[in-house]
Amino acid sequence: DDDRDEDAKRAPIWKCITDLKARFPHMKIALVGDHVTALPEEAFLFCPVDYCVRGGQYDFAMVNLANHLERGEELGSGVFWKDAVSGEVVNSGTAPKPPQFLQVRPHIDRELVKWKLYAERNGNFMRTPGTYGWATGASGADCWWRRPVAGLDTSLVPEGESKGGGCTFCSWTSLLPKFSVRPVDDYLDELEHLASIGVREVLTTPARFLWAAGCTSSLLASANGDCIRSS
C-alpha cells in the first residue's frame, strides 16, 4: 500500500546508494542478503543500485560478478540488473547460483576487512570486541531440519530450489538450497586465530549447525571464558 511504499523510499540504504551514485557515478553497487533474495527487483524501484544478487554464498557470487565485469566471465544465475536501453529489470536466471561446497575455504582476512570497526558498537555482541564467523556459513550451510524427506514429491520444485523438508517460509530455502557441514578442525582453527587477535565473542549461525557438525563440546572447551554464541 501507499504507506509501505513511502517507508521503503525513506529506507537509509536506498538513500545511501542514491548519494553514493550521485558522488561516484561510475561506482558499481551490488546488494546481497536475505531481503534481496526474497525481493530481488524491489531495490531498483527506490534507488540506482546496479546489481542485486540472490542466494546465500555472497562471496562466491560477488567474485563471479567482479570477474564478469572485469574479464567477461560467464555470469552465474540469480543476478538482477536494469537494462540500459529499456530500463526494465532483467536477470541471469531467477534461481540463485548453485552453491559451491568446499571442504576447507579460505578464512576471512580480518585485517583487510578492518574487523575492529565493527567490533564494539554492535548491539548483537554481549562481549566486545566481537566479530562474526565464516562468511560462507559459519559452521554449516542450510538448516539441519531441512534434510531430504523420503517420499516427498519434488516434481514441481523449480530448478535450483530446495527439494528437502523443513519450514517452507524460511529464507534459507532459497539462500542455500543444499545442506553441508563445515569440518570441525577448520572451524576450530578459525576460532583460535580470532582469539589470538583479541576477539572475545564470535557470533555464529546457528547452534544446530554446531550440533550437526559434532563440535559443540570442542567449541565449549575452547572458549576459555569468552563467548561463542549462536544467533
Side-chain angles (χ1 to χ4, degrees), residues 76-140:
S77 61
V79 181
F80 290 69
W81 67 94
K82 263 192 177 182
D83 182 79
V85 177
S86 69
E88 296 293 320
V89 177
V90 295
N91 61 70
S92 60
T94 57
K97 184 179 180 181
Q100 300 180 43
F101 294 117
L102 308 178
Q103 278 298 305
V104 178
R105 288 165 250 189
H107 294 175
I108 300 168
D109 186 332
R110 302 290 171 168
E111 297 305 315
L112 177 64
V113 300
K114 302 184 184 300
W115 73 275
K116 291 182 180 179
L117 294 177
Y118 313 96
E120 304 284 347
R121 298 177 62 185
N122 185 324
N124 290 329
F125 298 137
M126 297 172 63
R127 301 185 184 187
T128 56
T131 191
Y132 292 89
W134 209 20
T136 312
S139 52

Side-chain angles (χ1 to χ4, degrees), residues 132-230:
Y132 292 89
W134 209 20
T136 312
S139 52
D142 188 24
C143 171
W144 174 253
W145 301 112
R146 211 188 69 208
R147 293 164 289 178
V149 177
L152 184 67
D153 181 8
T154 60
S155 60
L156 299 179
V157 177
E159 183 78 23
E161 299 293 333
S162 169
K163 296 183 183 296
C167 305
T168 57
F169 59 81
C170 181
S171 63
W172 290 99
T173 305
S174 53
L175 283 171
L176 294 162
K178 293 183 180 179
F179 181 78
S180 72
V181 175
R182 182 180 180 185
V184 176
D185 290 343
D186 184 48
Y187 194 32
L188 292 175
D189 287 344
E190 184 186 20
L191 293 176
E192 288 175 357
H193 169 67
L194 293 176
S196 73
I197 62 174
V199 174
R200 296 197 64 214
E201 174 171 326
V202 179
L203 187 60
T204 183
T205 58
R208 57 181 169 269
F209 292 164
L210 306 182
W211 171 76
C215 61
T216 306
S217 59
S218 298
L219 292 177
L220 294 177
S222 303
N224 295 323
D226 284 323
C227 189
I228 299 168
R229 188 161 56 90
S230 167

